Amino acid sequence: MILNDEVVVITGVGAGLGAKLAQRAVAEGAKVVMAARSGVVTEQIEKETDGAAIAVQCDVRKEEDCARVIDTAVKRFGTVTGLVNSAYAHPGFHDLLETPDKGLRRSMDVILHGSLQMTRLAVPHMKAHGHGSIVNVGTMTTRKPMKGEGGYAVAKAAMTCATQFLALELGEHNIRVNQAIMGWLDGPGVRFYLTMTSEQKGISEQEVYDDIATRNPLGRIPTDEACAGAILMLLSDYTSEVTGAIVDVNGGEYMPA
């Protein structure tokens, strides 16, 4: 198990990637604190894991909520050694200049400021423990722009910049900071998209799936569970010498030069 004795906070835990991350982190030996605005998914995982993963209601825009998450981790498990910032807000599918300003600000508040707030509270415990690993979850639309995703992508791009500055600034404390950039994720969200698109175009869901899958060399849409593995690797000692890295997890659909 690659995360023995680690205490990992995961934000934005929902039915897709977040849930798989929490479940797999526990399977790899970690204690996990799951932060989410809704407890529907997290409370079920808490039951399934006999409390090795615990749920805390949290809106990352609120400092008091973030503080409660970190305090819970320390009181329950003694420290915080890992943090995955995956909470996000999507402002809807619009051209960037037509995206409502309220939605843009909300995305930035959740994705960038929420992540920085959670990081700010977790870092002192990592320093005291002597090591830590932070993984920020990004999106392929910052690499390969897709129409309608501008408002979401600009906030994630800001997170990319923050990742590298944090890696530079926290390295002396043996705290690593990396970003895992996700492409298409075969989970609840994409399954909804497949159904919606097949109905709109009058074709089968398999045809929609195949159109997406053939865009990358592996010929499939990576699953939530499989992509969670890349994040767990970045949390683990297997990447002890990796910091400031931007890791593309998309089946090869985007390959950086």
Side-chain angles (χ1 to χ4, degrees):
M1 295 189 287
I2 66 173
L3 295 176
N4 271 337
D5 302 321
E6 303 294 341
V7 180
V8 179
V9 171
I10 304 172
T11 70
V13 176
L17 177 66
K20 298 302 182 185
L21 266 172
Q23 291 164 333
R24 289 198 63 182
V26 169
E28 292 292 349
K31 303 298 184 186
V32 176
V33 178
M34 303 171 289
R37 285 185 300 162
S38 168
V40 173
V41 172
T42 56
E43 289 170 7
Q44 182 59 38
I45 295 173
E46 184 173 338
K47 293 175 185 176
E48 293 171 356
T49 59
D50 289 327
I54 60 175
V56 180
Q57 190 170 21
C58 173
D59 182 337
V60 296
R61 294 173 297 175
K62 299 177 180 179
E63 184 178 0
E64 62 272 23
D65 282 15
C66 294
R68 187 169 62 251
V69 171
I70 300 301
D71 289 346
T72 299
V74 174
K75 289 174 183 175
R76 185 70 174 266
F77 302 125
T79 189
V80 176
T81 63
L83 171 63
V84 180
N85 287 308
S86 62
Y88 74 94
H90 198 298
F93 295 91
H94 312 278
D95 285 354
L96 183 56
L97 295 182
E98 296 173 4
T99 304
D101 188 64
K102 184 178 180 180
L104 279 171
R105 291 179 183 275
R106 183 170 181 269
S107 288
M108 194 68 75
D109 283 344
V110 172
I111 293 169
L112 178 64
H113 297 293
S115 297
L116 289 175
Q117 189 153 248
M118 193 66 78
T119 301
R120 194 175 294 117
L121 293 163
V123 160
H125 300 283
M126 295 179 178
K127 287 181 179 179
H129 196 75
H131 79 274
S133 178
I134 299 165
V135 182
N136 296 321
V137 178
T139 174
M140 187 172 67
T141 58
T142 59
R143 310 284 234 174
K144 184 181 177 182
M146 295 175 63
K147 190 172 176 61
E149 293 274 19
Y152 174 59
V154 292
K156 287 289 192 179
M159 177 189 264
T160 302
C161 185
T163 296
Q164 294 181 318
F165 272 91
L166 289 169
L168 177 67
E169 295 160 1
L170 296 175
E172 65 182 286
H173 303 290
N174 200 29
I175 298 171
R176 299 181 297 106
V177 189
N178 295 289
Q179 186 172 41
I181 295 191
M182 301 296 159
W184 290 91
L185 287 168
D186 192 355
V190 164
R191 286 292 150 179
F192 174 78
Y193 174 84
L194 296 181
T195 301
M196 177 184 69
T197 305
S198 70
E199 291 172 354
Q200 290 175 344
K201 294 187 175 181
I203 59 178
S204 70
E205 289 187 26
Q206 187 62 49
E207 287 175 295
V208 181
Y209 178 99
D210 290 343
D211 176 62
I212 298 168
T214 54
R215 299 174 195 172
N216 70 60
L218 295 181
R220 60 178 179 264
I221 302 176
T223 64
D224 286 328
E225 184 168 9
C227 291
I231 295 173
L232 299 182
M233 180 188 70
L234 289 171
L235 286 172
S236 78
D237 283 343
Y238 281 105
T239 52
S240 64
E241 309 311 303
V242 178
T243 195
I246 312 301
V247 179
D248 292 276
V249 188
N250 55 47
E253 181 173 349
Y254 176 84
M255 298 185 187

